[in-house]
């Protein structure tokens, strides 16, 4: 005997909504990430540690905790904690000077660009940068490859300063017989003031540090236009 449609058991009825497609998980939240992504996350986590404490006070456990990974993960991706710290210092330095370059590029003249540069070099927040900068300096004593990177960074920094002076020369608002020499003196004075600012021996405020650099610009570049 055949059964009618009414006699057949009813099929289950779907009452819920279709499942939403799964969202892609951000790279930083994945359990397993590509090596370059994991390395970058570890290096990024190390930057604020060095800025706050100095590289000598940061160990592999500190880096692992800040990155939210195991110590084994750090040692798997890096040969030593020094390699992590070196890459973190380079990352911070490059970002810092890229921001300075962008600020100077917005200036309408070479003289204004130098003033913007001076203002950015010494602020309430830049002590942390200068602490990192001097760690970056000392790292070159231990690693020749790192020292070569420092030399390239200084060459680029001198070039930025020289370019602002040459921009002022082209517009006629500055005069300078030796832009390259001025760049060396400007960078050296900035480094010396930064070290004094960090050590506070003798005490030095950010405003006074700026005034010394303003004076250098006035005496060597702007005063020449008044003669």
């Amino acid at each position: 005997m055949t059964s009618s449609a009414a006699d057949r058991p009813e099929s289950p009825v779907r009452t819920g909504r279709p499942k939403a497609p799964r969202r892609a998980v951000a790279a930083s939240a994945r359990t397993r990430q590509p090596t370059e992504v994991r390395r970058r996350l570890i290096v990024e986590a190390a930057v604020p540690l060095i800025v706050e404490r100095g590289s000598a006070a940061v160990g592999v456990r500190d880096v692992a905790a800040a990155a939210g990974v195991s110590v084994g993960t750090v040692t798997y991706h890096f040969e030593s904690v020094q390699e992590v710290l070196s890459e973190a210092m380079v990352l911070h330095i490059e970002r810092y000077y890229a921001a300075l370059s962008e600020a100077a590029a917005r200036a309408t003249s070479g003289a204004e660009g130098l003033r913007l540069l001076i203002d950015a070099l010494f602020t309430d927040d830049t002590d942390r940068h200068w602490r990192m900068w001097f760690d970056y300096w000392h790292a070159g004593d231990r690693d020749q490859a790192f020292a070569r990177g420092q030399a390239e960074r200084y060459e680029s920094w001198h070039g930025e300063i020289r370019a602002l002076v040459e921009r002022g020369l082209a517009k006629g608002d500055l005069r300078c017989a030796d832009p390259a020499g001025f760049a060396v003196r400007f960078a050296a004075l900035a480094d010396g003031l930064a070290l004094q600012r960090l050590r506070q021996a003798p005490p030095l405020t950010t405003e006074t540090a700026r005034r010394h650099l303003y004076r250098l610009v006035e005496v060597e570049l702007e005063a020449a236009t008044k003669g």
Side-chain angles (χ1 to χ4, degrees), residues 18-102:
K19 288 185 178 180
R22 294 180 63 187
R23 283 182 163 183
V25 179
S28 59
R30 293 176 192 153
T31 302
R32 300 179 67 84
Q33 296 138 343
T35 296
E36 65 276 10
V37 173
R38 183 58 63 87
R39 283 179 62 94
R40 180 68 176 216
L41 289 173
I42 292 169
V43 169
E44 291 273 9
V47 170
L49 294 179
I50 305 172
V51 169
E52 292 296 337
R53 308 180 192 176
S55 62
V58 178
V60 66
R61 292 184 184 279
D62 301 314
V63 173
V69 300
S70 68
V71 169
T73 298
V74 177
T75 56
Y76 175 80
H77 289 287
F78 297 89
E79 292 184 4
S80 65
V81 69
Q82 187 57 48
E83 184 182 4
V84 181
L85 300 180
S86 294
E87 290 194 19
M89 283 189 279
V90 170
L91 177 63
H92 169 82
I93 296 298
E94 292 302 323
R95 283 177 175 171
Y96 179 82
Y97 283 99
L100 287 185
S101 297
E102 289 172 9

Side-chain angles (χ1 to χ4, degrees), residues 138-165:
H138 295 317
D141 295 336
R142 304 184 294 270
D143 187 330
Q144 287 302 309
F146 204 63
R148 287 193 294 273
Q150 291 173 351
E152 291 171 2
R153 175 67 264 169
Y154 259 114
E155 184 177 352
S156 177
W157 175 224
H158 288 175
E160 294 277 352
I161 300 164
R162 187 174 64 250
L164 287 171
V165 175

Side-chain angles (χ1 to χ4, degrees), residues 129-204:
H129 158 72
W130 287 113
R131 188 175 299 111
M132 174 80 85
W133 176 248
F134 290 116
D135 272 352
Y136 179 69
W137 247 11
H138 295 317
D141 295 336
R142 304 184 294 270
D143 187 330
Q144 287 302 309
F146 204 63
R148 287 193 294 273
Q150 291 173 351
E152 291 171 2
R153 175 67 264 169
Y154 259 114
E155 184 177 352
S156 177
W157 175 224
H158 288 175
E160 294 277 352
I161 300 164
R162 187 174 64 250
L164 287 171
V165 175
E166 290 171 347
R167 184 175 168 187
L169 294 176
K171 291 193 70 172
D173 61 342
L174 296 176
R175 290 183 186 176
C176 181
D178 181 17
F182 172 81
V184 171
R185 290 187 291 279
F186 182 98
L189 179 57
D191 282 343
L193 291 169
L195 186 58
Q196 183 178 334
R197 167 74 189 157
L198 286 180
R199 296 289 182 263
Q200 286 297 298
L204 182 71

